[in-house]
Amino acid sequence: MKFIRREDAMLSDVLGLTKSQSLAYRELVASPSLDAAELAHRLGCDPGDALDVLRTLENHGLAARQSADDSRFQAAPPEIALGALLARRKDEIRAAQVELIELEEDFRRSSALRPATDVVDVVRGADAVKHRIMQLQLGARETVESFTKPPVFVMSAEDNTAEDQAVARGVRYRVVVDRVFLDTGMMRVDDVAEAIENGEEVRFSERVPIKLFIIDRRLAFVPIQTVVDAEDSGLTPDLVGALIIHPSGLLDALIALFDAVWRDATPFARPGEQAGAADLEYQDARILGLMLVGLTDQSVANQLGLSLRTVQRRVKVLMDIAGVSTRIQLGWHAARKGWI
């Protein structure tokens, strides 16, 4: 069954309706009444499938048949029909929260009885690693701190939808990215700028030591990839897994490592508010920002879609505007004047 119209997030995600049910109910709400053929035409599905959806809505109390013609359906009032569903879902969430608190207390008690050496759990397989990364981010309450470095062997930034959801609900993200992502073009400056606009804090380091996620400073997740000799061992040549680090001296060390790398990493510089007042063009401010991250002129040109000669010429113009003779002086002058 193929539906061609958008689903309603409140109906599907919050109240648990399927995509077809959400779309069908919206069509009913916007119409005096519909039969299966009319609904099928609007949604781009078979009349038989549309009738099944209408019957399901009827069973859920979201639709009713007309008394004069039982082949036609009309929507139940949203405030009444959906209000009941929403109230039931709230009760389920409250019950789940109570159970979560009880389970967390049980877990803490059992964790206290663990041997001192039993602080690391192992996750095996790419699918399991991807699932855990998503799960941990969705469960984060306050902070997610991470190191990002190549190779990308489990999940790309585009696939990490949990990150966007966590940021949207107020989780603070601090990310240190290996500069090679910019050097090689695997990451675009526009994507970094968008992440920062959405509320993330991003810095770049010449060398990120490991892949790492730290969740609320109470749990660390370290993805690993091991290459073995398949002929000698009989194992898959590319093994993907991860380590989950529970509260311990090891977790404290990983947090200290993140803090040290974060402190020394270079913030992603964006054009400052004073750039226009200083007669500095926006493109020039972008060039300056990428130079301070540590990119070569060629990498800057590749990132901004410019020629190498254009970048070098603009840098020379900026040095003349600033009245300096070296690039180090230019960087100091740009920061002092609020150009970035």
Side-chain angles (χ1 to χ4, degrees):
M1 182 165 46
K2 182 180 180 182
F3 292 88
I4 60 175
R5 303 210 23 212
R6 70 177 183 87
E7 67 177 342
D8 186 288
M10 188 274 288
L11 295 174
S12 59
D13 297 340
V14 179
L15 298 179
L17 300 184
T18 66
K19 178 179 180 179
S20 58
Q21 293 165 3
S22 300
L23 293 171
Y25 183 71
R26 288 186 64 85
E27 291 295 341
L28 284 176
V29 168
S31 307
S33 67
L34 292 173
D35 61 20
E38 292 168 339
L39 180 62
H41 176 72
R42 295 189 179 200
L43 299 184
C45 67
D46 295 331
D49 293 331
L51 181 59
D52 289 340
V53 173
L54 287 169
R55 287 172 175 169
T56 301
L57 293 178
E58 182 182 26
N59 293 334
H60 288 332
L62 297 175
R65 297 174 189 260
Q66 282 190 332
S67 58
D69 184 355
D70 64 2
S71 68
R72 301 189 67 82
F73 293 76
Q74 57 191 26
E79 185 176 0
I80 296 175
L82 297 181
L85 285 177
L86 187 59
R88 185 168 70 241
R89 182 56 59 89
K90 288 181 177 178
D91 290 340
E92 293 172 351
I93 291 174
R94 280 194 291 267
Q97 288 174 332
V98 171
E99 185 174 357
L100 173 62
I101 293 173
E102 294 175 351
L103 290 172
E104 183 69 18
E105 291 175 351
D106 290 342
F107 179 77
R108 288 177 179 174
R109 283 193 292 268
S110 64
S111 296
L113 301 176
R114 285 185 174 189
T117 57
D118 189 14
V119 297
V120 179
D121 296 336
V122 180
V123 179
R124 293 182 173 87
D127 290 341
V129 170
K130 180 177 179 179
H131 175 75
R132 279 302 185 93
I133 291 175
M134 300 285 280
Q135 181 188 60
L136 290 172
Q137 292 176 99
L138 291 174
R141 300 170 184 172
E142 297 179 358
T143 61
V144 174
E145 296 159 315
S146 73
F147 288 153
T148 301
K149 64 174 297 183
V152 178
F153 57 83
V154 173
M155 180 173 54
S156 66
E158 292 76 13
D159 294 333
N160 188 8
T161 56
E163 180 175 330
D164 296 333
Q165 295 178 50
V167 171
R169 58 185 171 83
V171 175
R172 182 188 181 192
Y173 265 74
R174 296 200 300 168
V175 184
V176 181
V177 180
D178 196 303
R179 200 182 67 199
V180 71
F181 278 105
L182 288 179
D183 288 333
T184 59
M186 289 188 291
M187 181 178 291
R188 306 299 302 174
V189 292
D190 290 342
D191 296 331
V192 179
E194 182 180 358
I196 294 174
E197 287 293 331
N198 290 337
E200 297 187 37
E201 299 175 59
V202 182
R203 294 187 178 185
F204 286 88
S205 176
E206 186 173 354
R207 190 182 72 84
V208 172
I210 60 174
K211 296 176 184 289
L212 174 68
F213 288 86
I214 299 175
I215 310 298
D216 293 330
R217 302 216 148 191
R218 59 185 175 85
L219 199 70
F221 188 79
V222 183
I224 55 176
Q225 182 183 36
T226 304
V227 179
V228 301
D229 190 331
E231 293 184 0
D232 293 341
S233 65
L235 298 174
T236 303
D238 208 9
L239 300 178
V240 176
L243 304 177
I244 298 178
I245 316 299
H246 296 279
S248 60
L250 179 56
L251 176 61
D252 294 341
L254 290 173
I255 292 174
L257 174 64
F258 178 86
D259 289 341
V261 175
W262 175 265
R263 182 180 61 249
D264 295 336
T266 304
F268 182 76
R270 295 178 294 168
E273 293 180 358
Q274 300 177 36
D279 295 325
L280 187 67
E281 295 183 8
Y282 179 77
Q283 191 73 289
D284 290 342
R286 299 182 80 194
I287 291 173
L288 274 173
L290 293 177
M291 287 175 55
L292 289 182
V293 170
L295 268 63
T296 63
D297 289 352
Q298 185 62 64
S299 295
V300 172
N302 293 340
Q303 281 286 340
L304 301 181
L306 304 174
S307 69
L308 175 60
R309 180 173 297 182
T310 297
V311 171
Q312 293 173 336
R313 177 167 51 82
R314 293 312 306 168
V315 171
K316 181 62 171 63
V317 170
L318 288 170
M319 292 172 65
D320 292 340
I321 294 175
V324 299
S325 57
T326 69
R327 292 191 176 204
I328 292 178
Q329 290 176 310
L330 175 60
W332 179 84
H333 184 89
R336 180 170 172 267
K337 291 295 185 180
W339 286 1
I340 53 174

